[in-house]
Amino acid sequence: MISLSSKDFLETPIEDYIISSEKVAHVQMGNSAEHALLVLTKTGYSAIPVLDSKYRFRGLINAQRITDAILGLDHIEYERLSDIRVEEIMEKDLPLIHINERFQKALDMVINQNFLCVIDDEEMFMGILTRRVVLKQLKKQIYQLKK
Ligand code: AMP
């Protein structure tokens, strides 16, 4: 069995571990909050990326942001869902990881993020790297070291 040293393992490219963009549920700029809520509810994901027409990463949307946007004083204004665009309420200020980065960097970043959005030089969305996948790889490596 091929076994990597810890240092080599930390240096492996994240590309080996990402869920590629075509398998990632997403919404597009211009989509309504209603559509985003439908996708989030149907898929069961906590948050999904917002992409533009060129497939560039623009932000993240989650159910909490959507609900927050339609909170009235004493009730939830569901009727407003179709008038709100995802870009008005998405989260834009979040750390992204470049496709050429190494495992070590991802490990540092997933401590604070459930999953990382992966981009290339042109900010094209390449996919996501989840904390679950990072932990799985880490576990595999630790078990190999114990042998
Ligand atoms: P998991 O580690 O599979 O529980 O995924 C953690 C989070 O990553 C999910 O709640 C989603 O926000 C996101 N995620 C994972 N897989 C996908 C996918 N195929 N499409 C969109 N988002 C995903």
Side-chain angles (χ1 to χ4, degrees):
M1 184 193 292
I2 301 165
S3 153
L4 295 173
S5 74
S6 305
K7 189 164 172 292
D8 290 344
F9 169 66
L10 290 173
E11 286 300 314
T12 52
I14 62 159
E15 200 169 357
D16 297 352
Y17 310 119
I18 72 170
I19 299 172
S20 60
S21 56
E22 60 278 11
K23 292 185 189 146
V24 177
H26 71 274
V27 289
Q28 289 210 309
M29 300 278 282
N31 283 165
S32 67
E34 185 176 31
H35 175 71
L37 191 57
L38 268 171
V39 177
L40 284 162
T41 308
K42 285 265 176 204
T43 58
Y45 293 135
S46 54
I48 49 172
V50 180
L51 308 181
D52 68 16
S53 56
K54 292 189 169 142
Y55 235 64
R56 281 179 305 220
F57 177 83
R58 303 301 293 268
L60 269 190
I61 188 79
N62 62 29
Q64 197 259 327
R65 280 187 170 252
I66 297 172
T67 322
D68 200 47
I70 55 168
L71 269 190
L73 280 181
D74 55 6
H75 72 291
I76 298 176
E77 298 166 352
Y78 289 106
E79 64 282 1
R80 292 185 48 229
L81 274 177
S82 56
D83 296 329
I84 300 170
R85 306 289 108 195
V86 283
E87 58 268 33
E88 295 168 35
I89 54 172
M90 68 188 181
E91 186 180 4
K92 291 180 237 170
D93 188 21
L94 38 93
L96 303 172
I97 189 163
H98 192 277
I99 185 80
N100 294 339
E101 279 294 352
R102 309 278 147 179
F103 190 86
Q104 164 98 63
K105 170 97 173 176
L107 187 57
D108 290 342
M109 290 174 75
V110 290
I111 289 172
N112 296 319
Q113 300 265 118
N114 191 13
F115 68 97
L116 306 169
C117 291
V118 184
I119 53 161
D120 72 2
D121 288 334
E122 272 85 48
E123 290 183 9
M124 296 295 280
F125 178 66
M126 307 305 287
I128 60 171
L129 180 57
T130 65
R131 187 185 285 158
R132 184 199 299 273
V133 168
V134 170
L135 284 177
K136 245 187 186 169
Q137 293 303 322
L138 202 56
K139 178 180 159 186
K140 228 193 225 171
Q141 181 68 8
I142 290 167
Y143 281 23
Q144 270 178 12
L145 287 176
K146 275 174 62 185
K147 277 185 195 161

